[in-house]
Amino acid sequence: MFQQVPLVEIDGMKLVQTRAILNYIAAKYNLYGKDLKERAMIDMYVEGIRELMDLLIKHPFLPSAEKDSNTKLIQTKAIDRCFPVYEQALAQSGGGYLVGGQLTKADVQVFEVVLMVEEKLPSILSSFPQLQAFRSRMRNVPAIQKFLQPGSQRKAQPDDNYVKNVMEVLRF
Ligand SMILES: N[C@@H](CCC(=O)N[C@@H](CS)C(=O)NCC(=O)O)C(=O)O
């Protein structure tokens, strides 16, 4: 529609726009809350983690002189702003998931960002016990466990070749 990726072909549609894609899949597979209030909580948790995700996604494409300061920003944002929110939500949730006692797209997106931050900063969860337990629980969700296996559809960390390719294709 806008000559951009990502594009997902599903149910006879060509879906574009990341949030529209995620919302459709979440609603279709019952990962988007039981009512409007749960949906609002899910949206807040997802938008809250997005700022951190944006810093992580752009990292491989930054000039090397800017990488250290971006890593510091990721660390500060994770420790001071984002992770305490999810730590507290998990402590209060009882069921081990962020909203409504069942798996939602908020859990999936927070888990994804936790893995991405840990790839850069391995001890980032050291003062977040709830998030550590959450990370282990999420790893054991059967579909996620399968997705994390080597050889799955999960993309590897971008290497220099990948970065060069993307920059050429998207004419950065
Ligand atoms: N708002 C869109 C942004 C998508 C976007 O920026 N896609 C980039 C690649 S990451 C693209 O296709 N760029 C090519 C272009 O705009 O010509 C979304 O969230 O999906």
Side-chain angles (χ1 to χ4, degrees), residues 101-153:
Q102 63 180 42
L103 184 72
T104 69
K105 77 172 183 142
D107 301 298
V108 176
Q109 291 201 247
V110 169
F111 175 62
E112 188 180 14
V113 169
V114 163
L115 292 187
M116 288 167 84
V117 179
E118 275 190 314
E119 270 158 357
K120 288 203 178 342
L121 301 158
S123 58
I124 193 84
L125 290 191
S126 54
S127 52
F128 298 100
Q130 295 286 342
L131 275 169
Q132 287 174 32
F134 169 78
R135 189 238 280 118
S136 307
R137 265 194 313 278
M138 289 294 285
R139 270 188 198 284
N140 288 326
V141 172
I144 292 176
Q145 199 177 46
K146 200 167 149 209
F147 187 67
L148 293 176
Q149 294 301 314
S152 78
Q153 286 170 302

Side-chain angles (χ1 to χ4, degrees), residues 46-98:
V46 166
E47 294 306 318
I49 206 74
R50 191 178 306 277
E51 287 176 30
L52 201 45
M53 170 81 94
D54 289 345
L55 293 175
L56 287 152
I57 286 176
K58 76 174 186 187
H59 192 84
F61 304 99
L62 291 173
S64 17
E66 291 173 33
K67 287 200 190 233
D68 277 357
S69 63
N70 195 56
T71 305
K72 285 205 179 72
L73 196 55
I74 289 169
Q75 185 172 18
T76 312
K77 231 182 203 328
I79 292 179
D80 295 346
R81 187 170 294 246
C82 286
F83 287 179
V85 173
Y86 304 110
E87 182 75 8
Q88 198 188 351
L90 288 166
Q92 288 168 355
S93 75
Y97 294 116
L98 286 165

Side-chain angles (χ1 to χ4, degrees), residues 34-50:
K34 289 190 287 295
D35 54 36
L36 273 177
K37 287 189 175 172
E38 283 194 6
R39 189 164 286 205
M41 290 306 297
I42 292 166
D43 286 340
M44 286 193 278
Y45 287 142
V46 166
E47 294 306 318
I49 206 74
R50 191 178 306 277

